[in-house]
Amino acid sequence: MAKRKSRRQTVRLIIQAAFAALTNGYVRGFAEGRIFTGSTKYVCVPGLNCYSCPGALGACPIGALQATLGSNKYQFAFYVLGFLMIFGALFGRLICGFLCPFGLVQDLLHRIPLPRKWRFPRKLKRLPGERFLRLIKYVLLILFVILLPMFVVDIIGQGKPWFCEYICPSGTLLGGIPLVLTDERLRATIGWLYAWKVTILAVIVLLSIIIYRPFCRYICPLGAIYGLFNKISLARYTFDKDKCTRCGLCQKACEFDIKVFENPNSIDCIRCGKCRDACPQDVIGTYFHIKPRCSDSKSDETE
């Protein structure tokens, strides 16, 4: 089982790194401090990948959603919403677990050794207000991604990407810092906003060493959207209730402390597969398998 766990998580890490390199493959941009402006920039990528990253070859769906909702040229973001619905219906939050560059950053940070690191997250999850903290990403989605770009506009009726401008640590890491480091003119203009966003990034970095994926857990509006599709997406877990002994090993292995035996397709699940690796009875399967482990009569999710 240990070998299976190690192999599956290694494969996931390779996929994460490969996709991050693929979607940020404009090496010349990093060298010259220039943002790629080719035709692929009109196409969204699935994960939270900053448009302003010098190497980015595509657009971030959250940034694109804000840009279209806040534009005085477009009345509705049909393309972006359609993109999110299609990828959500196909993959759900599997995108967070496999195809998000900032998710990869958090995963690598969490691998940094820290004495007794495992105790703090478990205690945090037992705090009464922790469940309410997980609702923050939905508040940010509604307020900063949708409402503010639509209704807080300038004199010509143009909104701005509030989440990208004031919060997104992924944009700071992948876009803001590389551009400032390579462009002397930008270094001369940075002020309180840049310092504010670097502070947010620093806090997320430090928390990521202690807590598994704090940004995904509490803040990310893209994860909030994809999570709504987890119960119906093609990439969802099946569960054999008859074989389950409710030993709790799946919940113990889950970094998000999900009770997999009660809700295998929780809105917080990123499909990392650690629960499947930990299950001694092999009761957790997935619809992506050509030969599922569970028969159709035994594979209904426990709601």
Side-chain angles (χ1 to χ4, degrees), residues 58-272:
C60 172
I62 290 297
L65 181 60
Q66 294 171 93
T68 50
L69 290 177
S71 174
N72 56 10
K73 297 181 180 180
Y74 308 104
Q75 293 183 340
F76 202 68
F78 288 107
Y79 162 70
V80 184
L81 290 177
F83 176 90
L84 291 170
M85 291 178 67
I86 290 173
F87 274 84
L90 288 175
F91 303 106
R93 290 203 74 177
L94 178 142
I95 293 171
C96 305
F98 284 81
L99 305 180
C100 181
F102 199 65
L104 170 63
V105 171
Q106 293 174 88
D107 282 352
L108 294 177
L109 287 169
H110 197 66
R111 288 172 174 248
I112 297 175
L114 190 69
R116 298 189 177 185
K117 174 169 55 178
W118 61 273
R119 292 186 180 181
F120 181 72
R122 294 293 174 184
K123 290 181 180 179
L124 178 68
K125 293 165 187 173
R126 292 195 292 266
L127 292 176
E130 201 273 339
R131 291 185 179 180
F132 293 99
L133 290 176
R134 299 196 185 204
L135 298 177
I136 293 176
K137 54 182 174 286
Y138 296 98
V139 175
L140 294 176
L141 170 63
I142 295 171
L143 182 61
F144 280 81
V145 178
I146 299 175
L147 294 181
L148 287 177
M150 288 180 66
F151 297 109
V152 181
V153 297
D154 58 23
I155 194 172
I156 61 172
Q158 182 77 33
K160 62 181 180 181
W162 287 79
F163 182 81
C164 295
E165 186 169 337
Y166 291 101
I167 298 176
C168 186
S170 177
T172 306
L173 177 65
L174 300 176
I177 292 177
L179 290 175
V180 167
L181 291 176
T182 54
D183 193 328
E184 186 176 349
R185 294 170 297 177
L186 284 179
R187 290 197 296 271
T189 62
I190 59 175
W192 71 268
L193 182 57
Y194 183 78
W196 163 251
K197 293 196 64 178
V198 169
T199 301
I200 292 177
L201 174 62
V203 171
I204 295 298
V205 167
L206 292 175
L207 286 177
S208 296
I209 300 173
I210 304 171
I211 306 170
Y212 186 73
R213 291 200 179 205
F215 179 76
C216 301
R217 191 188 302 262
Y218 303 122
I219 300 175
C220 183
L222 185 58
I225 295 173
Y226 286 142
L228 298 176
F229 292 89
N230 261 6
K231 290 184 181 295
I232 62 171
S233 63
L234 181 62
R236 69 185 188 270
Y237 284 151
T238 61
F239 196 81
D240 191 334
K241 295 178 289 185
D242 295 336
K243 290 175 59 178
C244 177
T245 61
R246 299 179 72 90
C247 63
L249 291 177
C250 53
Q251 181 182 1
K252 185 177 180 179
C254 177
E255 298 283 2
F256 288 90
D257 200 36
I258 297 170
K259 294 182 179 179
V260 184
F261 49 87
E262 293 182 357
N263 189 9
N265 292 295
S266 163
I267 59 176
D268 293 317
C269 177
I270 62 170
R271 309 295 194 233
C272 68

